Amino acid sequence: MDAIHIRGGNALFGETRIQGSKNAVLPVMAAALLIKDISIIENCPRISDVYHMQNLLTQIGCRVSRADRTLMIDARHVSQDKMSGESVTGMRSSIMLLGAMLGRFGEATLAYPGGCVIGKRPIDLHLNALRKMGVSIKEEEGAFTARAKQLCGAVITLPFASVGATENVILAAVNARGVTVLKNAAKEPEITALCRFLQKAGAVIEGVGGSVLIIQGGSALHGVQFAVPADRIVAGTYLFSVLGTGGHIFLKDAPVSQMKGMLKTAVEMGAEVTASREGLSVLAGPVKKTVPYIKTDVFPGFPTDMQSPLMAVLAKASGTSIIEETIFENRFRIVEELVKMGADIKTDENRAVITGVTKLYGCEVTARELRGGAGLVIAGCMAEGETIVRNRHFIERGYEDICRDYQNLGVNIVTG
Ligand code: UD1
């Protein structure tokens, strides 16, 4: 129950399609709240974080319906009731509704958000940026209320290019009075997706894709049809899997232009990659080269979400590699589990030193967060014998059907 069983040790061969992006669809769903009309969101992944966001939107009166991977959000008749319960506390992206609720109602009460257990994950950057737009914040135990009589455009410089804070400022700014200039904005492709969605709905945003965004508030927004881009992190997960096992796979619809940081690393480790309009072909031999030193970074650097999958592969590379985690603390929770499988990994604060071993051995391991869970599935594909990864629900937050995808690539893998 709540587990994944993998019989590892074989090379990967085959083709799988890459689902829509989790980190892109969630802010886009929040943005639909700003539009007093019907938004149609295509290529929406069937993952638990999306279902939670559907619940949150339903709680405030949106009518949300789904046909296969197309989501219809009707936000014409919403109300400002307090949102509470599991949906808010269970998912960090509920914080994404803060900017959208302020934009729609001028007020929002939210519980402090949950999400992956990878460090403290404060929201000070979100709150400080919104204060500059005229928002006052009242904190209570475990919750806070944000209020603005009139949201006003402002010049805001983020001390760190936080993805979530950038998204919240954008969401608040499109309905604010006047112009917002956001400096040191995050440049992740998911921010671009959010801006494109809002532009399609009538918002005026300049500088999309760059670190300075200029948002003209107050445009009338109308219903929109939008396709969510493919998930670069899911594509990266399978890219690193084939590096781990060797083989030849095709990742249909992989968003290659968003994957430069990870492709560079994969090629250094010995992968041959060929990009086309249809997707990404990856060929990898049985031997993996090490990465002498790599640090996670904001886009277009090596993504923190790919750190655990990379670590799993390096556990069997020929030599010693060093990973430095610069985005989140406490993102080495996979180490203990990989060591159980025979890996040689030592950590010192935000650095991990990985000395490659010749074999990993299947055993029972426990996922403690989403991407760490994916890393353990990769390790299971690389290991001899059976690996059981417990806490499948963490993985289901971001992967539509990880077993189906790996089965397409020839892996002996089932839920159980
Ligand atoms: C988003 C992604 C997540 C990804 C991360 C970094 C979503 C749903 N999640 O998370 O998958 O790993 O970007 O690419 O899109 N910070 C503060 N104060 C704040 C906000 C952030 O100190 O107010 C810190 C965080 O604790 C963390 C760092 O800034 O150490 C990065 O956080 P941020 O870029 O905001 O990531 P998220 O939006 O939470």
Side-chain angles (χ1 to χ4, degrees):
M1 283 298 156
D2 194 23
I4 293 175
H5 296 244
I6 309 145
R7 284 222 156 261
N10 297 319
L12 300 190
F13 291 96
E15 171 178 327
T16 200
R17 179 189 165 275
I18 303 302
Q19 68 185 59
S21 161
K22 165 175 105 59
N23 289 355
V25 73
L26 296 172
V28 162
M29 288 174 76
L33 178 61
L34 291 170
I35 303 171
K36 292 177 189 157
D37 204 344
I38 297 172
S39 301
I40 296 172
I41 304 170
E42 296 166 338
N43 199 30
C44 183
R46 289 182 289 211
I47 53 177
S48 57
D49 271 15
V50 165
Y51 298 130
H52 281 304
M53 185 60 100
Q54 273 180 238
N55 282 344
L56 291 175
L57 290 171
T58 307
Q59 276 184 44
I60 41 179
C62 291
R63 299 174 81 166
V64 186
S65 56
R66 175 189 270 277
D68 193 21
R69 290 194 177 81
T70 299
L71 205 63
M72 200 177 76
I73 302 176
D74 178 351
R76 285 175 297 181
H77 309 289
V78 293
S79 72
Q80 195 190 328
D81 289 349
K82 260 193 195 178
M83 286 185 305
S84 59
E86 245 179 67
S87 288
V88 186
T89 50
M91 192 179 72
R92 174 146 180 106
S93 329
S94 54
I95 187 69
M96 208 55 20
L97 282 168
L98 174 59
M101 287 181 85
L102 282 166
R104 184 75 192 256
F105 308 120
E107 184 174 327
T109 297
L110 291 177
Y112 280 106
C116 274
V117 199
I118 47 171
K120 292 199 283 286
R121 304 194 83 166
I123 53 167
D124 53 319
L125 302 176
H126 303 237
L127 300 184
N128 289 340
L130 292 170
R131 280 189 182 105
K132 291 215 158 147
M133 301 179 73
V135 176
S136 61
I137 316 276
K138 206 170 120 213
E139 305 194 26
E140 296 143 34
E141 204 176 314
F144 66 93
T145 299
R147 237 182 234 114
K149 276 207 188 90
Q150 169 70 63
L151 275 177
C152 295
V155 178
I156 300 165
T157 304
L158 292 177
F160 171 79
S162 152
V163 172
T166 299
E167 290 165 345
N168 256 328
V169 170
I170 295 169
L171 290 166
V174 291
N175 269 1
R177 188 172 62 198
V179 177
T180 298
V181 179
L182 180 62
K183 298 181 184 172
N184 197 28
K187 293 185 287 191
E188 268 65 7
E190 294 76 30
I191 308 278
T192 301
L194 172 63
C195 291
R196 295 286 177 236
F197 173 82
L198 286 165
Q199 284 175 321
K200 233 178 156 184
V204 180
I205 307 175
E206 285 171 48
V208 176
S211 57
V212 180
L213 294 171
I214 302 169
I215 303 138
Q216 177 77 55
S219 306
L221 301 179
H222 52 77
V224 59
Q225 189 162 351
F226 179 81
V228 177
D231 196 310
R232 63 193 171 104
I233 303 300
V234 171
T237 302
Y238 303 141
L239 162 71
F240 280 99
S241 300
V242 72
L243 256 164
T245 61
H248 191 186
I249 62 170
F250 185 71
L251 302 176
K252 188 168 163 19
D253 297 339
V256 180
S257 63
Q258 301 176 7
M259 296 172 67
K260 288 194 180 119
M262 47 183 126
L263 285 173
K264 182 170 167 279
T265 304
V267 168
E268 276 168 22
M269 293 172 72
E272 271 180 50
V273 297
T274 313
S276 65
R277 279 171 64 87
E278 286 71 38
L280 179 71
S281 157
V282 191
L283 177 66
V287 180
K288 294 155 276 298
K289 291 186 202 144
T290 54
V291 179
Y293 168 78
I294 187 167
K295 65 171 183 163
T296 58
D297 212 341
V298 296
F299 189 80
F302 190 86
T304 173
D305 286 348
M306 289 308 301
Q307 188 254 102
S308 293
L310 172 65
M311 185 182 282
V313 181
L314 292 175
K316 250 182 94 181
S318 48
T320 300
S321 309
I322 296 176
I323 300 181
E324 186 172 341
E325 173 56 62
T326 72
I327 307 294
F328 287 108
E329 77 251 40
N330 203 12
R331 210 169 201 179
F332 287 145
R333 302 192 70 187
I334 186 181
V335 170
E336 198 182 317
E337 307 302 303
L338 289 177
V339 167
K340 274 191 210 160
M341 298 177 76
D344 178 352
I345 305 173
K346 308 236 167 359
T347 56
D348 179 14
E349 295 191 353
N350 64 339
R351 276 182 174 228
V353 180
I354 305 128
T355 305
V357 294
T358 50
K359 279 186 182 167
L360 292 177
Y361 300 94
C363 66
E364 205 172 308
V365 288
T366 304
R368 308 206 187 276
E369 41 93 11
L370 165 59
R371 305 302 172 188
L376 291 175
V377 175
I378 295 179
C381 293
M382 295 160 60
E384 277 190 6
E386 189 184 25
T387 299
I388 300 172
V389 181
R390 299 259 168 237
N391 285 350
R392 186 179 79 225
H393 64 276
F394 281 123
I395 298 170
E396 289 171 345
R397 288 192 45 223
Y399 295 81
E400 198 174 83
D401 188 343
I402 202 167
C403 291
R404 172 203 64 201
D405 288 352
Y406 275 114
Q407 283 160 4
N408 289 340
L409 302 176
V411 180
N412 186 341
I413 179 170
V414 288
T415 57

